Amino acid sequence: MTDVTLYHWEPNANSGKPMLALAEKGVDYNSHYLDLLNFDQHDPEYLKINPQGTIPAMTHGNLMLTESTAIMEYVNEAFDGPELMPSDPQARWRVRWWMKFFDQWFAPSVSMMGWNWFVGPSVRERDPEELAARIERIPMPERRVAWKKAIYGLFSEEELRVSQQRAEIGITLLEEELTKHKWLGTDEYTLADINGFNLGFALPMSQPDHCNDEKTPHTMEWLRKIYERPATKETWAKGRTELASRVTFLERQ
Amino acid sequence: MKLYHGEPNAASLTVMAALFEKGINAEFEAIDLCAGERHDLPITYGVEVLRSVEGEGPVLVNNGEAMADSVFIGCMLDESKGDATLLAGDAYRRWQIMVWCRHVIERVAPAASYIGNQAYLQDALKRMSDADFAALTAKIAAEDLRGRWEEVRQGDFTEERLAECRAKIVQMVDKIEAQLSGDWIFGDFSLADLETYSWLRGMLSLVPESFDGHDSVIAWMGRVQDRPSVAKALSLSVTGSPEKAWPVGPEINRWG
Ligand SMILES: N[C@@H](CCC(=O)N[C@@H](CS)C(=O)NCC(=O)O)C(=O)O
């Protein structure tokens, strides 16, 4: 019996962060899969849990938590199991710095391209009236705009250009950082690695010219090392789409 | 430990007051963030300063490492000395504080900066010669930060954006009012009070309507301002009106 329930989509991006953190801690949780491509996150039932209509959300007893990165810090503190933050305060700062850089700068650009490539095309063919109705019930105005752009293919060239440029810069900065310590920002495996893996595991496939064994050997090794961890294997096995199954690309030859 | 800080407003105010709250000794050096002096310091620049999502915030040098991002510096200071006071409590309260601060960083800080840049910084930048401005921006490593400097100088502000930004300030004030039940946002004083105050202080005069009818929020701001740490930080103002100092801030979310 567990009093933890996680509402999540695929092990990827924001959903995958608490999934992997819980798995690393060895915390058993009720997994409540919401199909983002079916707009499950805007169902009235789910809005009672998270009125913003975004994924992930977690309940622990009668507590309700949102915001994937903050949930990870909570998971690390609230449960026994391996420590996922460094003990040195300055190393903790570095871990948090990288998570913010991912969450606010790097990941949104990668995500925009993902929505353009996967999310939009996956739902576009449905009945136009149904789609319009689905968009109508999205609670956050910014998200309504994002969905419209994805569904109707309205991302501007300029937007996509900036996202691509940021992805390339992000890949370079990450590679440089990974030459400095054993893990990201420090010598211990932390939440920053978990966060970064969720953003980065597919980069060798989506950005093959920029993220590969020749140009970014440290990043490739880092991704493979994380992929090999039992918690990662267990978590990615919960995926139901090609988004998650791509992870096997990281299998060592 | 050495802190290079701007006027005690926004991100600089958070870190200055956090140091005083914790009683941590640091050497303070005032720099003009609005003149780009953060890009000309005698320090070893790492990615954390060059690519800080916060924009032109303060820089703390500790153990030879140049650090940026005021909320996380606040966390580090709290974890470095004595019992936790800025982020005290159990995991859930700490989650509440982190999520709250995140809202301030992601939604409020970009909006406040846009409003503050429009009101004050653009005129100062417009007075600079082309050559001086080019020399300033040439030192800025991050393309997006450089782009925001250029937009401010060009006066690239739209009424629509300004209205959206003001709406975010209004929402923040409503959110504080809804959350306040005692003196502070989450029971005892925390980093959430400090960070929120630091970004809202200048909005009192720039978006006064957002405080209309919110006496409890005004009273809360008074309590924050009266804390010895905050009063001491404010007393270090060079210009005498720190609420007018709005360096280029974080970017407004480009994706959801
Ligand atoms: N800052 C939030 C963002 C959550 C979020 O936006 N999740 C995305 C999925 S990765 C989502 O729910 N998108 C679906 C929608 O907006 O309808 C977090 O880190 O948890």
Side-chain angles (χ1 to χ4, degrees):
Chain A
M1 261 304 279
T2 170
D3 61 349
V4 179
T5 300
L6 187 70
Y7 298 83
H8 63 88
W9 183 44
E10 292 285 284
N12 174 66
N14 294 327
S15 284
K17 292 183 225 165
M19 289 172 83
L20 187 48
L22 286 161
E24 286 286 353
K25 290 298 265 194
V27 178
D28 191 22
Y29 62 94
N30 301 311
S31 157
H32 192 123
Y33 187 94
L34 295 171
D35 186 356
L36 181 128
L37 301 178
N38 194 39
F39 304 93
D40 288 353
Q41 70 278 16
H42 311 134
D43 271 340
E45 271 312 299
Y46 179 64
L47 294 184
K48 283 186 208 154
I49 295 161
N50 179 12
Q52 301 204 308
T54 56
I55 321 173
M58 185 176 94
T59 55
H60 182 199
N62 50 20
L63 302 175
M64 200 292 283
L65 301 97
T66 55
E67 284 299 338
S68 54
T69 293
I71 294 176
M72 289 203 296
E73 285 220 39
Y74 175 85
V75 165
N76 184 46
E77 289 177 20
F79 300 101
D80 295 336
E83 181 58 43
L84 297 173
M85 283 290 278
S87 50
D88 171 50
Q90 197 153 336
R92 293 163 74 88
W93 161 79
R94 224 175 289 117
V95 162
R96 291 184 176 124
W97 189 95
W98 276 96
M99 294 199 290
K100 174 173 167 180
F101 179 71
F102 288 154
D103 291 351
Q104 282 185 255
W105 199 88
F106 192 177
S109 292
V110 173
S111 160
M112 184 188 289
M113 290 187 282
W115 277 56
N116 192 43
W117 159 77
F118 181 76
V119 176
S122 301
V123 302
R124 197 168 289 161
E125 301 309 329
R126 297 211 199 127
D127 175 42
E129 280 185 25
E130 185 207 322
L131 282 178
R134 295 289 180 151
I135 294 174
E136 232 6 80
R137 65 172 195 173
I138 299 175
M140 284 164 73
E142 292 103 322
R143 287 318 172 106
R144 231 172 286 144
V145 174
W147 269 107
K148 274 190 197 149
K149 286 185 177 177
I151 290 176
Y152 305 117
L154 300 177
F155 291 110
S156 70
E157 268 177 40
E158 175 60 11
E159 263 177 320
L160 292 167
R161 186 193 64 76
V162 172
S163 290
Q164 175 62 29
Q165 184 195 39
R166 288 193 184 189
E168 289 173 28
I169 294 169
I171 287 168
T172 308
L173 297 175
L174 180 60
E175 175 67 13
E176 274 167 27
E177 184 65 22
L178 288 170
T179 63
K180 296 183 193 159
H181 309 270
K182 255 171 77 185
W183 293 100
L184 182 57
T186 176
D187 288 336
E188 295 145 276
Y189 182 73
T190 72
L191 300 180
D193 300 296
I194 294 180
N195 187 320
F197 186 77
N198 274 283
L199 151 68
F201 77 92
L203 287 173
M205 282 154 285
S206 61
Q207 300 285 334
D209 296 343
H210 307 287
C211 186
N212 56 48
D213 281 305
E214 244 162 72
K215 286 196 178 152
T216 58
H218 295 87
T219 306
M220 294 301 294
E221 180 59 22
W222 174 72
L223 291 174
R224 289 187 182 115
K225 267 182 359 202
I226 300 175
Y227 173 62
E228 277 161 6
R229 297 174 74 88
T232 313
K233 288 268 166 71
E234 178 195 315
T235 301
W236 259 259
K238 295 185 174 168
R240 300 182 185 177
T241 72
E242 157 195 14
L243 209 57
S245 61
R246 292 182 297 169
V247 78
T248 53
F249 186 90
L250 296 172
E251 204 74 63
R252 289 189 202 269
Q253 300 305 311
Chain B
M1 217 185 262
K2 176 160 183 176
L3 179 70
Y4 295 95
H5 62 86
E7 278 287 279
N9 194 34
S12 289
L13 178 53
T14 297
V15 177
M16 295 165 83
L19 279 161
F20 295 135
E21 280 286 337
K22 295 298 289 183
I24 295 176
N25 281 327
E27 186 188 337
F28 280 61
E29 183 170 329
I31 59 172
D32 190 351
L33 296 176
C34 295
E37 287 182 7
R38 180 169 170 280
H39 301 278
D40 236 345
L41 302 175
I43 61 170
T44 308
Y45 285 91
V47 62
E48 295 89 355
V49 170
L50 296 176
R51 296 271 169 184
S52 164
V53 174
E54 188 168 70
E56 303 290 346
V59 176
L60 182 73
V61 181
N62 192 31
N63 304 318
E65 184 174 32
M67 307 169 66
D69 282 284
S70 53
V71 167
F72 301 139
I73 291 178
C75 295
M76 185 208 65
L77 295 173
D78 200 38
E79 290 162 356
S80 302
K81 189 180 170 196
D83 290 340
T85 51
L86 297 174
L87 288 121
D90 62 12
Y92 184 70
R93 183 173 185 267
R94 290 162 55 81
W95 170 83
Q96 288 181 304
I97 296 170
M98 288 304 262
V99 170
W100 183 282
C101 287
R102 195 186 165 105
H103 178 82
V104 176
I105 300 172
E106 274 189 41
R107 308 274 157 180
V108 180
S113 298
Y114 192 85
I115 295 167
N117 290 166
Q118 196 266 350
Y120 302 111
L121 185 62
Q122 71 166 318
D123 292 337
L125 296 189
K126 281 176 179 161
R127 283 194 297 270
M128 286 177 80
S129 72
D130 287 350
D132 286 350
F133 186 72
L136 188 167
T137 51
K139 293 182 193 139
I140 302 176
E143 312 66 24
D144 59 305
L145 179 59
R146 208 184 314 128
R148 295 202 290 289
W149 275 90
E150 282 158 1
E151 280 167 22
V152 174
R153 175 165 150 104
Q154 284 155 17
D156 258 345
F157 298 92
T158 67
E159 265 317 310
E160 194 191 344
R161 266 268 152 111
L162 278 168
E164 284 166 13
C165 289
R166 285 193 205 103
K168 287 186 186 151
I169 304 303
V170 170
Q171 282 162 13
M172 185 73 236
V173 174
D174 289 345
K175 194 172 147 95
I176 302 169
E177 169 131 339
Q179 178 63 33
L180 274 179
S181 56
D183 280 355
W184 310 110
I185 296 174
F186 294 113
D188 293 330
F189 179 80
S190 76
L191 191 58
D193 297 286
L194 189 50
E195 172 73 358
T196 313
Y197 174 79
S198 295
W199 287 98
L200 278 191
R201 187 172 188 274
M203 296 297 112
L204 274 170
S205 52
L206 286 172
V207 196
E209 64 277 15
S210 52
F211 298 88
D212 281 352
H214 292 290
D215 297 347
S216 67
V217 177
I218 306 260
W220 163 80
M221 291 188 83
R223 284 192 291 278
V224 181
Q225 173 154 319
D226 288 346
R227 287 187 77 86
S229 63
V230 175
K232 192 164 172 188
L234 291 171
S235 77
L236 296 179
S237 169
V238 176
T239 63
S241 39
E243 66 281 359
K244 295 184 177 168
W246 286 98
V248 176
E251 163 181 80
I252 295 175
N253 267 10
R254 46 190 292 279
W255 172 227

